[in-house]
Amino acid sequence: MTDKAPKIITTEDGSHSVYLPEINESYHSSHGAYRESIHVFLLYGLEAWYARNRGKFPIRIFEVGFGTGLNAWLTLIWAEQNQVPVLYHTIEPFPLPAEIYNELNFTQMDETLTHYNGYFKRLHQMEWDSGKPLTDYFNIKKEKISLQDVKLYPSDIVYFDAFSPKKQPELWEDTLLKKIHESMNPKGVFVTYCAAGHLKKNLLTLEMELDEVPGPPGKKEMTRAWKKE
């Protein structure tokens, strides 16, 4: 492993993240990777949409940044526990190598979820650029492609989990946000850990409705925006 290779780090809640020395950036918050994913994407994304749209199935989710696979794995568990069908589309131009994802400790964070541990590795090992059901309620398509080039399907929920605007400014530009917005279904929700002013301004320009929601541990706020009907 070179000095520029991905490195596993431990965040404040005991869960792992992956640090990229080349860009001096990690995949998750240093204040707690596991808690951040649950807070931003499950609680204020999936659960919030489900509360407003109960009975509308399947739930279609688009994720920018498969990364460690944590968001996808937690969503799979949610779908199984709630017996709600989810169609999950995720992109990742630079997948993690097996020597990294095999060592991640997310499956050790909650002993009540051990029944689902095997799915974490299966999410990483499944073939790229194809889709298939992994469980009765969770169907996923992974694509090794950029946001600029991907063909988007209609989505109810967008997990925008790209690297920060300082590290990947091109992914936060208004043209790509517009591309995502146009693909979203009415009453769809866009969630991200980022709370940058220019992001919120761009979302308002797209006539999305912004909520004031608290951020995960270590952050005062995050961003949640709804597409109008």
Side-chain angles (χ1 to χ4, degrees), residues 5 15 21 34 43 66 78 85 93 106 127 139 167 193 196 201 206:
S15 63
Y34 196 81
L43 180 59
F66 178 75
W78 184 94
F106 302 134
E127 185 180 356
N139 191 308
K167 303 298 180 178
Y193 65 89
K201 181 180 178 181
L206 294 170

Side-chain angles (χ1 to χ4, degrees), residues 58-62 84-89 137-141:
I59 302 174
R60 301 174 184 272
I61 299 176
F62 173 57
V84 172
V86 170
L87 300 180
Y88 199 95
H89 180 205
Y137 294 97
F138 189 81
N139 191 308
I140 182 171
K141 181 177 183 179

